[in-house]
Each structure stands twice: as C-alpha cells, then as structure tokens.
mmCIF file of all heavy atoms in Angstrom:
data_model
loop_
_atom_site.group_PDB
_atom_site.id
_atom_site.type_symbol
_atom_site.label_atom_id
_atom_site.label_comp_id
_atom_site.label_asym_id
_atom_site.label_seq_id
_atom_site.Cartn_x
_atom_site.Cartn_y
_atom_site.Cartn_z
ATOM 1 N N LYS O 339 -2.712 -5.082 -9.371
ATOM 2 C CA LYS O 339 -1.242 -4.558 -9.192
ATOM 3 C C LYS O 339 -1.269 -3.549 -8.081
ATOM 4 O O LYS O 339 -2.198 -2.854 -7.799
ATOM 5 C CB LYS O 339 -0.741 -3.918 -10.480
ATOM 6 C CG LYS O 339 -0.338 -4.883 -11.616
ATOM 7 C CD LYS O 339 0.030 -4.186 -12.811
ATOM 8 C CE LYS O 339 0.514 -5.111 -13.897
ATOM 9 N NZ LYS O 339 1.050 -4.409 -15.212
ATOM 10 N N LEU O 340 -0.114 -3.473 -7.413
ATOM 11 C CA LEU O 340 0.112 -2.478 -6.501
ATOM 12 C C LEU O 340 1.437 -1.691 -7.039
ATOM 13 O O LEU O 340 2.397 -2.409 -7.274
ATOM 14 C CB LEU O 340 0.414 -2.829 -5.063
ATOM 15 C CG LEU O 340 -0.726 -3.772 -4.389
ATOM 16 C CD1 LEU O 340 -0.223 -4.268 -3.022
ATOM 17 C CD2 LEU O 340 -1.883 -2.872 -4.160
ATOM 18 N N GLN O 341 1.241 -0.396 -7.076
ATOM 19 C CA GLN O 341 2.432 0.464 -7.508
ATOM 20 C C GLN O 341 2.870 1.271 -6.256
ATOM 21 O O GLN O 341 2.184 2.067 -5.764
ATOM 22 C CB GLN O 341 2.076 1.442 -8.527
ATOM 23 C CG GLN O 341 1.648 0.786 -9.832
ATOM 24 C CD GLN O 341 2.759 0.159 -10.715
ATOM 25 O OE1 GLN O 341 3.848 0.366 -10.425
ATOM 26 N NE2 GLN O 341 2.379 -0.410 -11.805
ATOM 27 N N LEU O 342 4.086 0.871 -5.766
ATOM 28 C CA LEU O 342 4.621 1.587 -4.504
ATOM 29 C C LEU O 342 5.879 2.449 -4.848
ATOM 30 O O LEU O 342 6.845 1.926 -5.415
ATOM 31 C CB LEU O 342 5.034 0.493 -3.478
ATOM 32 C CG LEU O 342 3.956 -0.407 -3.138
ATOM 33 C CD1 LEU O 342 4.518 -1.604 -2.204
ATOM 34 C CD2 LEU O 342 2.735 0.119 -2.572
ATOM 35 N N VAL O 343 5.712 3.751 -4.519
ATOM 36 C CA VAL O 343 7.011 4.623 -4.863
ATOM 37 C C VAL O 343 7.568 4.903 -3.417
ATOM 38 O O VAL O 343 6.860 5.338 -2.514
ATOM 39 C CB VAL O 343 6.385 5.971 -5.414
ATOM 40 C CG1 VAL O 343 7.584 6.984 -5.774
ATOM 41 C CG2 VAL O 343 5.422 5.676 -6.711
ATOM 42 N N PHE O 344 8.880 4.828 -3.471
ATOM 43 C CA PHE O 344 9.636 5.013 -2.137
ATOM 44 C C PHE O 344 10.581 6.201 -2.267
ATOM 45 O O PHE O 344 10.862 6.686 -3.413
ATOM 46 C CB PHE O 344 10.442 3.703 -1.892
ATOM 47 C CG PHE O 344 9.753 2.547 -1.670
ATOM 48 C CD1 PHE O 344 9.245 1.539 -2.729
ATOM 49 C CD2 PHE O 344 9.020 2.303 -0.397
ATOM 50 C CE1 PHE O 344 8.599 0.506 -2.454
ATOM 51 C CE2 PHE O 344 8.382 1.083 -0.209
ATOM 52 C CZ PHE O 344 8.113 0.251 -1.199
ATOM 53 N N ARG O 345 10.976 6.677 -1.153
ATOM 54 C CA ARG O 345 11.835 7.949 -1.041
ATOM 55 C C ARG O 345 13.267 7.495 -1.628
ATOM 56 O O ARG O 345 14.022 8.302 -2.166
ATOM 57 C CB ARG O 345 11.826 8.622 0.280
ATOM 58 C CG ARG O 345 10.564 9.272 0.557
ATOM 59 C CD ARG O 345 10.758 10.150 1.932
ATOM 60 N NE ARG O 345 10.931 9.150 3.122
ATOM 61 C CZ ARG O 345 9.910 8.782 3.730
ATOM 62 N NH1 ARG O 345 8.669 9.076 3.444
ATOM 63 N NH2 ARG O 345 10.108 7.922 4.723
ATOM 64 N N GLU O 346 13.639 6.288 -1.199
ATOM 65 C CA GLU O 346 14.916 5.952 -1.642
ATOM 66 C C GLU O 346 14.970 4.316 -1.949
ATOM 67 O O GLU O 346 14.038 3.671 -1.553
ATOM 68 C CB GLU O 346 15.891 6.056 -0.516
ATOM 69 C CG GLU O 346 15.732 5.500 0.824
ATOM 70 C CD GLU O 346 16.405 5.893 1.968
ATOM 71 O OE1 GLU O 346 17.084 7.083 1.882
ATOM 72 O OE2 GLU O 346 16.726 5.162 2.816
ATOM 73 N N LEU O 347 15.952 3.903 -2.631
ATOM 74 C CA LEU O 347 16.080 2.515 -3.051
ATOM 75 C C LEU O 347 16.673 1.689 -1.791
ATOM 76 O O LEU O 347 17.569 2.065 -1.269
ATOM 77 C CB LEU O 347 17.146 2.319 -4.279
ATOM 78 C CG LEU O 347 17.212 1.014 -4.889
ATOM 79 C CD1 LEU O 347 16.071 0.884 -5.824
ATOM 80 C CD2 LEU O 347 18.418 1.036 -5.581
ATOM 81 N N PHE O 348 15.892 0.700 -1.415
ATOM 82 C CA PHE O 348 16.334 -0.103 -0.286
ATOM 83 C C PHE O 348 16.553 -1.580 -0.603
ATOM 84 O O PHE O 348 16.860 -2.360 0.203
ATOM 85 C CB PHE O 348 15.384 0.048 0.888
ATOM 86 C CG PHE O 348 13.985 -0.504 0.634
ATOM 87 C CD1 PHE O 348 13.670 -1.929 0.740
ATOM 88 C CD2 PHE O 348 12.958 0.378 0.079
ATOM 89 C CE1 PHE O 348 12.475 -2.359 0.517
ATOM 90 C CE2 PHE O 348 11.924 -0.295 -0.250
ATOM 91 C CZ PHE O 348 11.422 -1.609 0.032
ATOM 92 N N TRP O 349 16.242 -1.936 -1.921
ATOM 93 C CA TRP O 349 16.550 -3.293 -2.317
ATOM 94 C C TRP O 349 17.735 -3.433 -3.185
ATOM 95 O O TRP O 349 18.159 -2.248 -3.821
ATOM 96 C CB TRP O 349 15.268 -3.987 -3.079
ATOM 97 C CG TRP O 349 14.973 -3.030 -4.298
ATOM 98 C CD1 TRP O 349 15.323 -3.233 -5.670
ATOM 99 C CD2 TRP O 349 14.037 -1.950 -4.364
ATOM 100 N NE1 TRP O 349 14.646 -2.239 -6.353
ATOM 101 C CE2 TRP O 349 13.927 -1.565 -5.592
ATOM 102 C CE3 TRP O 349 13.325 -1.238 -3.300
ATOM 103 C CZ2 TRP O 349 13.053 -0.391 -6.029
ATOM 104 C CZ3 TRP O 349 12.397 -0.293 -3.701
ATOM 105 C CH2 TRP O 349 12.408 0.275 -5.041
ATOM 106 N N PRO O 350 18.430 -4.413 -3.424
ATOM 107 C CA PRO O 350 19.628 -4.501 -4.198
ATOM 108 C C PRO O 350 19.396 -3.784 -5.671
ATOM 109 O O PRO O 350 18.465 -4.194 -6.231
ATOM 110 C CB PRO O 350 19.942 -5.906 -4.349
ATOM 111 C CG PRO O 350 19.432 -6.417 -2.968
ATOM 112 C CD PRO O 350 18.128 -5.780 -2.783
ATOM 113 N N GLU O 351 20.224 -3.000 -6.015
ATOM 114 C CA GLU O 351 20.005 -2.260 -7.302
ATOM 115 C C GLU O 351 20.025 -3.259 -8.650
ATOM 116 O O GLU O 351 19.456 -3.060 -9.649
ATOM 117 C CB GLU O 351 21.208 -1.224 -7.449
ATOM 118 C CG GLU O 351 20.800 -0.224 -8.565
ATOM 119 C CD GLU O 351 21.924 0.882 -8.539
ATOM 120 O OE1 GLU O 351 22.504 1.063 -7.402
ATOM 121 O OE2 GLU O 351 22.174 1.367 -9.599
ATOM 122 N N LYS O 352 20.681 -4.456 -8.467
ATOM 123 C CA LYS O 352 20.744 -5.340 -9.551
ATOM 124 C C LYS O 352 19.527 -6.179 -9.753
ATOM 125 O O LYS O 352 19.345 -6.768 -10.742
ATOM 126 C CB LYS O 352 21.982 -6.260 -9.357
ATOM 127 C CG LYS O 352 21.902 -7.209 -8.165
ATOM 128 C CD LYS O 352 22.990 -8.064 -7.862
ATOM 129 C CE LYS O 352 22.842 -9.069 -6.846
ATOM 130 N NZ LYS O 352 23.892 -9.917 -6.680
ATOM 131 N N TYR O 353 18.602 -6.099 -8.775
ATOM 132 C CA TYR O 353 17.408 -6.866 -8.832
ATOM 133 C C TYR O 353 16.351 -6.145 -9.721
ATOM 134 O O TYR O 353 15.961 -5.144 -9.520
ATOM 135 C CB TYR O 353 16.721 -7.147 -7.461
ATOM 136 C CG TYR O 353 17.516 -8.132 -6.510
ATOM 137 C CD1 TYR O 353 17.207 -8.349 -5.305
ATOM 138 C CD2 TYR O 353 18.635 -8.819 -7.011
ATOM 139 C CE1 TYR O 353 17.821 -9.239 -4.485
ATOM 140 C CE2 TYR O 353 19.304 -9.688 -6.377
ATOM 141 C CZ TYR O 353 18.884 -9.959 -4.959
ATOM 142 O OH TYR O 353 19.568 -10.821 -4.357
ATOM 143 N N SER O 354 15.826 -6.956 -10.655
ATOM 144 C CA SER O 354 14.677 -6.386 -11.540
ATOM 145 C C SER O 354 13.445 -7.152 -11.122
ATOM 146 O O SER O 354 12.259 -6.682 -11.439
ATOM 147 C CB SER O 354 15.087 -6.520 -12.924
ATOM 148 O OG SER O 354 15.239 -7.907 -13.381
ATOM 149 N N LEU O 355 13.622 -8.430 -10.654
ATOM 150 C CA LEU O 355 12.372 -9.261 -10.426
ATOM 151 C C LEU O 355 12.678 -10.084 -9.130
ATOM 152 O O LEU O 355 13.630 -10.556 -8.800
ATOM 153 C CB LEU O 355 12.204 -10.246 -11.542
ATOM 154 C CG LEU O 355 11.033 -11.236 -11.433
ATOM 155 C CD1 LEU O 355 9.736 -10.551 -11.566
ATOM 156 C CD2 LEU O 355 11.005 -12.349 -12.508
ATOM 157 N N LEU O 356 11.583 -9.997 -8.267
ATOM 158 C CA LEU O 356 11.623 -10.719 -7.036
ATOM 159 C C LEU O 356 10.439 -11.588 -6.846
ATOM 160 O O LEU O 356 9.310 -11.247 -7.169
ATOM 161 C CB LEU O 356 11.553 -9.662 -5.771
ATOM 162 C CG LEU O 356 12.646 -8.553 -5.837
ATOM 163 C CD1 LEU O 356 12.214 -7.482 -4.759
ATOM 164 C CD2 LEU O 356 14.099 -9.097 -5.596
ATOM 165 N N MET O 357 10.740 -12.867 -6.342
ATOM 166 C CA MET O 357 9.572 -13.948 -6.307
ATOM 167 C C MET O 357 9.862 -14.609 -5.019
ATOM 168 O O MET O 357 10.921 -14.846 -4.640
ATOM 169 C CB MET O 357 9.626 -14.877 -7.510
ATOM 170 C CG MET O 357 9.497 -14.124 -8.831
ATOM 171 S SD MET O 357 9.546 -15.293 -10.126
ATOM 172 C CE MET O 357 8.081 -16.312 -9.840
ATOM 173 N N SER O 358 8.631 -15.096 -4.457
ATOM 174 C CA SER O 358 8.785 -15.954 -3.244
ATOM 175 C C SER O 358 7.429 -16.639 -3.187
ATOM 176 O O SER O 358 6.481 -16.527 -3.986
ATOM 177 C CB SER O 358 9.096 -15.181 -2.061
ATOM 178 O OG SER O 358 7.863 -14.665 -1.568
ATOM 179 N N LEU O 359 7.177 -17.657 -2.199
ATOM 180 C CA LEU O 359 5.926 -18.165 -1.912
ATOM 181 C C LEU O 359 5.085 -17.404 -0.851
ATOM 182 O O LEU O 359 4.121 -17.862 -0.268
ATOM 183 C CB LEU O 359 6.069 -19.693 -1.518
ATOM 184 C CG LEU O 359 6.486 -20.678 -2.512
ATOM 185 C CD1 LEU O 359 6.843 -22.002 -1.882
ATOM 186 C CD2 LEU O 359 5.349 -20.825 -3.518
ATOM 187 N N GLY O 360 5.509 -16.100 -0.634
ATOM 188 C CA GLY O 360 4.833 -15.282 0.311
ATOM 189 C C GLY O 360 3.492 -14.873 -0.179
ATOM 190 O O GLY O 360 3.138 -15.312 -1.230
ATOM 191 N N PRO O 361 2.800 -13.985 0.544
ATOM 192 C CA PRO O 361 1.345 -13.652 0.285
ATOM 193 C C PRO O 361 1.321 -12.921 -1.033
ATOM 194 O O PRO O 361 0.367 -13.033 -1.733
ATOM 195 C CB PRO O 361 1.034 -12.844 1.516
ATOM 196 C CG PRO O 361 2.268 -12.311 2.088
ATOM 197 C CD PRO O 361 3.265 -13.434 1.971
ATOM 198 N N ILE O 362 2.304 -12.161 -1.399
ATOM 199 C CA ILE O 362 2.359 -11.454 -2.670
ATOM 200 C C ILE O 362 3.612 -12.099 -3.487
ATOM 201 O O ILE O 362 4.741 -11.763 -3.051
ATOM 202 C CB ILE O 362 2.587 -9.966 -2.529
ATOM 203 C CG1 ILE O 362 1.331 -9.393 -1.726
ATOM 204 C CG2 ILE O 362 2.562 -9.322 -3.875
ATOM 205 C CD1 ILE O 362 1.351 -7.978 -1.563
ATOM 206 N N MET O 363 3.289 -12.832 -4.488
ATOM 207 C CA MET O 363 4.390 -13.727 -5.169
ATOM 208 C C MET O 363 5.362 -13.049 -5.893
ATOM 209 O O MET O 363 6.563 -13.367 -5.980
ATOM 210 C CB MET O 363 3.653 -14.889 -5.832
ATOM 211 C CG MET O 363 4.448 -16.048 -6.127
ATOM 212 S SD MET O 363 3.500 -17.364 -6.816
ATOM 213 C CE MET O 363 4.667 -18.606 -6.979
ATOM 214 N N VAL O 364 5.005 -12.101 -6.703
ATOM 215 C CA VAL O 364 5.796 -11.439 -7.696
ATOM 216 C C VAL O 364 5.831 -9.932 -7.596
ATOM 217 O O VAL O 364 4.915 -9.260 -7.463
ATOM 218 C CB VAL O 364 5.350 -11.748 -9.116
ATOM 219 C CG1 VAL O 364 6.206 -11.078 -10.189
ATOM 220 C CG2 VAL O 364 5.302 -13.181 -9.514
ATOM 221 N N TRP O 365 7.284 -9.438 -7.507
ATOM 222 C CA TRP O 365 7.344 -8.064 -7.555
ATOM 223 C C TRP O 365 8.383 -7.772 -8.516
ATOM 224 O O TRP O 365 9.367 -8.451 -8.752
ATOM 225 C CB TRP O 365 8.165 -7.533 -6.089
ATOM 226 C CG TRP O 365 7.216 -7.731 -4.965
ATOM 227 C CD1 TRP O 365 6.988 -9.005 -4.323
ATOM 228 C CD2 TRP O 365 6.471 -6.829 -4.182
ATOM 229 N NE1 TRP O 365 6.075 -8.747 -3.257
ATOM 230 C CE2 TRP O 365 5.852 -7.402 -3.091
ATOM 231 C CE3 TRP O 365 6.334 -5.389 -4.356
ATOM 232 C CZ2 TRP O 365 5.049 -6.729 -2.187
ATOM 233 C CZ3 TRP O 365 5.572 -4.690 -3.463
ATOM 234 C CH2 TRP O 365 4.846 -5.429 -2.436
ATOM 235 N N TRP O 366 8.405 -6.632 -9.157
ATOM 236 C CA TRP O 366 9.467 -6.114 -10.036
ATOM 237 C C TRP O 366 9.657 -4.674 -9.972
ATOM 238 O O TRP O 366 8.728 -3.931 -9.407
ATOM 239 C CB TRP O 366 9.214 -6.507 -11.608
ATOM 240 C CG TRP O 366 8.066 -5.868 -12.178
ATOM 241 C CD1 TRP O 366 7.971 -4.740 -12.778
ATOM 242 C CD2 TRP O 366 6.853 -6.455 -12.387
ATOM 243 N NE1 TRP O 366 6.871 -4.386 -13.314
ATOM 244 C CE2 TRP O 366 6.035 -5.501 -13.039
ATOM 245 C CE3 TRP O 366 6.103 -7.590 -12.054
ATOM 246 C CZ2 TRP O 366 4.684 -5.608 -13.609
ATOM 247 C CZ3 TRP O 366 4.738 -7.857 -12.357
ATOM 248 C CH2 TRP O 366 4.204 -6.744 -13.120
ATOM 249 N N SER O 367 10.731 -4.093 -10.490
ATOM 250 C CA SER O 367 11.090 -2.825 -10.325
ATOM 251 C C SER O 367 11.032 -2.005 -11.610
ATOM 252 O O SER O 367 12.031 -2.280 -12.509
ATOM 253 C CB SER O 367 12.536 -2.616 -9.706
ATOM 254 O OG SER O 367 12.799 -1.185 -9.546
ATOM 255 N N PRO O 368 10.050 -1.305 -11.974
ATOM 256 C CA PRO O 368 10.035 -0.481 -13.231
ATOM 257 C C PRO O 368 11.128 0.498 -13.381
ATOM 258 O O PRO O 368 11.508 0.926 -14.453
ATOM 259 C CB PRO O 368 8.660 0.191 -13.152
ATOM 260 C CG PRO O 368 7.808 -0.486 -12.143
ATOM 261 C CD PRO O 368 8.808 -0.946 -11.144
ATOM 262 N N SER O 369 11.776 0.806 -12.239
ATOM 263 C CA SER O 369 12.925 1.833 -12.222
ATOM 264 C C SER O 369 14.262 1.143 -12.403
ATOM 265 O O SER O 369 15.268 1.704 -12.456
ATOM 266 C CB SER O 369 12.877 2.538 -10.924
ATOM 267 O OG SER O 369 12.767 1.785 -9.824
ATOM 268 N N TYR O 370 14.239 -0.261 -12.603
ATOM 269 C CA TYR O 370 15.546 -0.983 -12.764
ATOM 270 C C TYR O 370 16.189 -0.427 -14.159
ATOM 271 O O TYR O 370 15.495 -0.346 -15.162
ATOM 272 C CB TYR O 370 15.205 -2.459 -13.021
ATOM 273 C CG TYR O 370 16.394 -3.347 -13.484
ATOM 274 C CD1 TYR O 370 17.460 -3.578 -12.511
ATOM 275 C CD2 TYR O 370 16.460 -3.787 -14.845
ATOM 276 C CE1 TYR O 370 18.429 -4.296 -12.977
ATOM 277 C CE2 TYR O 370 17.569 -4.507 -15.165
ATOM 278 C CZ TYR O 370 18.505 -4.747 -14.309
ATOM 279 O OH TYR O 370 19.608 -5.516 -14.771
ATOM 280 N N ASP O 371 17.456 -0.126 -14.020
ATOM 281 C CA ASP O 371 18.239 0.462 -14.994
ATOM 282 C C ASP O 371 17.701 1.872 -15.656
ATOM 283 O O ASP O 371 18.035 2.149 -16.744
ATOM 284 C CB ASP O 371 18.353 -0.555 -16.161
ATOM 285 C CG ASP O 371 19.464 -0.301 -17.149
ATOM 286 O OD1 ASP O 371 20.572 0.256 -16.583
ATOM 287 O OD2 ASP O 371 19.437 -0.680 -18.353
ATOM 288 N N ARG O 372 16.984 2.474 -14.669
ATOM 289 C CA ARG O 372 16.556 3.834 -15.026
ATOM 290 C C ARG O 372 16.832 4.763 -13.933
ATOM 291 O O ARG O 372 15.981 5.038 -13.069
ATOM 292 C CB ARG O 372 15.053 3.780 -15.270
ATOM 293 C CG ARG O 372 14.458 2.954 -16.481
ATOM 294 C CD ARG O 372 13.045 3.021 -16.456
ATOM 295 N NE ARG O 372 12.398 2.411 -17.640
ATOM 296 C CZ ARG O 372 11.185 1.984 -17.689
ATOM 297 N NH1 ARG O 372 10.393 2.175 -16.636
ATOM 298 N NH2 ARG O 372 10.671 1.460 -18.810
ATOM 299 N N PRO O 373 18.040 5.225 -13.853
ATOM 300 C CA PRO O 373 18.509 6.069 -12.693
ATOM 301 C C PRO O 373 17.696 7.301 -12.644
ATOM 302 O O PRO O 373 17.682 7.879 -11.548
ATOM 303 C CB PRO O 373 19.965 6.270 -13.028
ATOM 304 C CG PRO O 373 20.200 6.183 -14.404
ATOM 305 C CD PRO O 373 19.158 5.000 -14.816
ATOM 306 N N GLU O 374 17.133 7.735 -13.686
ATOM 307 C CA GLU O 374 16.364 9.047 -13.642
ATOM 308 C C GLU O 374 14.942 8.822 -12.983
ATOM 309 O O GLU O 374 14.246 9.867 -12.713
ATOM 310 C CB GLU O 374 16.260 9.708 -15.015
ATOM 311 C CG GLU O 374 15.324 8.976 -16.075
ATOM 312 C CD GLU O 374 15.925 7.660 -16.596
ATOM 313 O OE1 GLU O 374 16.969 7.252 -16.216
ATOM 314 O OE2 GLU O 374 15.337 7.193 -17.649
ATOM 315 N N PHE O 375 14.463 7.530 -12.830
ATOM 316 C CA PHE O 375 13.164 7.386 -12.325
ATOM 317 C C PHE O 375 13.232 7.257 -10.799
ATOM 318 O O PHE O 375 14.352 6.857 -10.191
ATOM 319 C CB PHE O 375 12.649 5.999 -12.887
ATOM 320 C CG PHE O 375 12.017 6.114 -14.187
ATOM 321 C CD1 PHE O 375 12.606 6.773 -15.316
ATOM 322 C CD2 PHE O 375 10.853 5.463 -14.424
ATOM 323 C CE1 PHE O 375 12.033 6.974 -16.372
ATOM 324 C CE2 PHE O 375 10.205 5.756 -15.621
ATOM 325 C CZ PHE O 375 10.768 6.366 -16.768
ATOM 326 N N PRO O 376 12.184 7.563 -10.112
ATOM 327 C CA PRO O 376 11.992 7.317 -8.616
ATOM 328 C C PRO O 376 12.062 5.837 -8.353
ATOM 329 O O PRO O 376 11.649 5.106 -9.208
ATOM 330 C CB PRO O 376 10.798 8.040 -8.263
ATOM 331 C CG PRO O 376 9.925 8.001 -9.447
ATOM 332 C CD PRO O 376 10.935 8.143 -10.637
ATOM 333 N N PRO O 377 12.437 5.382 -7.114
ATOM 334 C CA PRO O 377 12.385 4.020 -6.784
ATOM 335 C C PRO O 377 10.763 3.441 -6.604
ATOM 336 O O PRO O 377 10.163 3.939 -5.908
ATOM 337 C CB PRO O 377 13.055 3.931 -5.420
ATOM 338 C CG PRO O 377 13.808 5.226 -5.318
ATOM 339 C CD PRO O 377 13.174 6.201 -6.134
ATOM 340 N N VAL O 378 10.665 2.603 -7.610
ATOM 341 C CA VAL O 378 9.309 2.107 -7.607
ATOM 342 C C VAL O 378 9.239 0.492 -7.626
ATOM 343 O O VAL O 378 10.130 -0.035 -8.230
ATOM 344 C CB VAL O 378 8.514 2.500 -8.889
ATOM 345 C CG1 VAL O 378 7.095 1.879 -9.051
ATOM 346 C CG2 VAL O 378 8.373 4.010 -8.919
ATOM 347 N N LEU O 379 8.417 -0.126 -6.819
ATOM 348 C CA LEU O 379 8.108 -1.475 -6.962
ATOM 349 C C LEU O 379 6.769 -1.814 -7.284
ATOM 350 O O LEU O 379 5.762 -1.197 -6.847
ATOM 351 C CB LEU O 379 8.444 -2.235 -5.558
ATOM 352 C CG LEU O 379 9.880 -2.402 -5.044
ATOM 353 C CD1 LEU O 379 9.954 -3.040 -3.726
ATOM 354 C CD2 LEU O 379 10.597 -3.293 -6.182
ATOM 355 N N THR O 380 6.580 -2.651 -8.165
ATOM 356 C CA THR O 380 5.323 -3.167 -8.697
ATOM 357 C C THR O 380 4.920 -4.646 -8.156
ATOM 358 O O THR O 380 5.826 -5.573 -8.462
ATOM 359 C CB THR O 380 5.176 -3.267 -10.211
ATOM 360 O OG1 THR O 380 5.330 -1.908 -10.716
ATOM 361 C CG2 THR O 380 3.847 -3.713 -10.608
ATOM 362 N N ALA O 381 3.917 -4.758 -7.544
ATOM 363 C CA ALA O 381 3.454 -6.121 -6.989
ATOM 364 C C ALA O 381 2.503 -6.594 -7.940
ATOM 365 O O ALA O 381 1.303 -5.788 -8.282
ATOM 366 C CB ALA O 381 3.014 -6.072 -5.546
ATOM 367 N N TYR O 382 2.517 -7.809 -8.477
ATOM 368 C CA TYR O 382 1.378 -8.431 -9.297
ATOM 369 C C TYR O 382 0.805 -9.552 -8.513
ATOM 370 O O TYR O 382 1.495 -10.429 -8.139
ATOM 371 C CB TYR O 382 2.030 -8.841 -10.659
ATOM 372 C CG TYR O 382 1.005 -9.612 -11.390
ATOM 373 C CD1 TYR O 382 -0.021 -8.808 -12.262
ATOM 374 C CD2 TYR O 382 1.019 -10.880 -11.554
ATOM 375 C CE1 TYR O 382 -0.895 -9.420 -13.022
ATOM 376 C CE2 TYR O 382 0.016 -11.564 -12.558
ATOM 377 C CZ TYR O 382 -0.816 -10.862 -13.089
ATOM 378 O OH TYR O 382 -1.736 -11.540 -13.797
#
C-alpha cells in the first residue's frame, strides 16, 4: 500500500474508489465523507 497525504483535495469529492488498468490499479480515499481528515489517497 501507498499512503499519500496532500495539502488539498484535487480529485472529485464524491469519489471514494478509483480504478483503471494503469500501473496502480486501485485507489481509494480514507478521507471520503470525513471533512475533518486531511486529503489522503491509498493505493493498493
């Protein structure tokens, strides 16, 4: 897993899970629906 913490949200706020056939297939946002959390993306 990669845990990436960003200064600001740059992906659509409604997205909780992102998938593609790219080199890293699955991403999700632990901060989804948690406005008090910093913007975080987890790559699995």
Side-chain angles (χ1 to χ4, degrees):
K339 285 183 180 179
L340 298 176
Q341 300 280 0
L342 306 177
V343 183
F344 298 93
R345 287 188 293 270
E346 60 186 29
L347 193 76
F348 62 88
W349 58 91
E351 195 172 334
K352 63 178 181 178
Y353 287 176
S354 61
L355 180 69
L356 305 169
M357 298 180 64
S358 81
L359 285 172
I362 300 178
M363 193 172 190
V364 177
W365 299 76
W366 67 83
S367 175
S369 47
Y370 171 74
D371 199 29
R372 292 171 171 170
E374 72 279 11
F375 275 49
V378 175
L379 281 178
T380 298
Y382 177 75

